Amino acid sequence: MKETAMRTAIGVVEQKNQAREQQRRKRRLQVYRRKLVLSAAVLFLCIHAGGLMMMNAFADEPHAPEKEACYICIRIEPGDSLWSIASRYAVDSPMDTRQYVKELMRINRLADETIHAGNYLTVVYYE
């Protein structure tokens, strides 16, 4: 009988220990969830504040006036090519050299990139 009573007492103690352990796990999980939510909120606020600062920084930048396209005729010199001319005149242009060569071909109605010394070529530059 004493043995049965002891087993019952040990069983009760083990059940209490298991219940305490479950409560500890629940508390740890709750604390973890709170930390996770708080971290997410802080991260969101940092990103949001950073975005606002960037918007303010960009808003303060002065807008550069757009450059106006001007056209002139130049005489093609020996050794000139559309690419060499483009590299000289496309410096302040909104186009890269490849786009500038295409533009020269378009405005001069050229079928290909062949040009001849002594002829004239209309070029665009920007002021």
Side-chain angles (χ1 to χ4, degrees), residues 1 10 12-14 43 45 61 71 76 90 92 116 127:
M1 178 113 172
I10 291 173
V12 170
V13 170
E14 285 179 359
L43 179 63
L45 290 175
E61 288 182 7
Y71 296 87
I76 301 170
D92 293 328
H116 301 284
E127 288 187 332

Side-chain angles (χ1 to χ4, degrees), residues 11-55:
V12 170
V13 170
E14 285 179 359
Q15 287 177 350
K16 286 182 182 181
N17 287 340
Q18 287 176 354
R20 284 186 198 133
E21 187 60 33
Q22 283 181 340
Q23 287 177 348
R24 284 187 200 130
R25 286 184 191 147
K26 282 182 183 180
R27 276 184 272 171
R28 280 191 220 129
L29 186 59
Q30 288 172 344
V31 168
Y32 174 74
R33 285 180 182 159
R34 285 183 192 141
K35 286 181 180 179
L36 185 63
V37 168
L38 182 61
S39 298
V42 168
L43 179 63
F44 173 78
L45 290 175
C46 289
I47 291 171
H48 185 68
L52 290 176
M53 287 190 293
M54 290 295 288
M55 286 175 37

Side-chain angles (χ1 to χ4, degrees), residues 80-97:
D80 278 346
S81 69
L82 285 181
W83 289 89
S84 65
I85 293 169
S87 66
R88 277 183 272 167
Y89 287 93
V91 174
D92 293 328
S93 151
M95 298 175 268
D96 63 20
T97 306

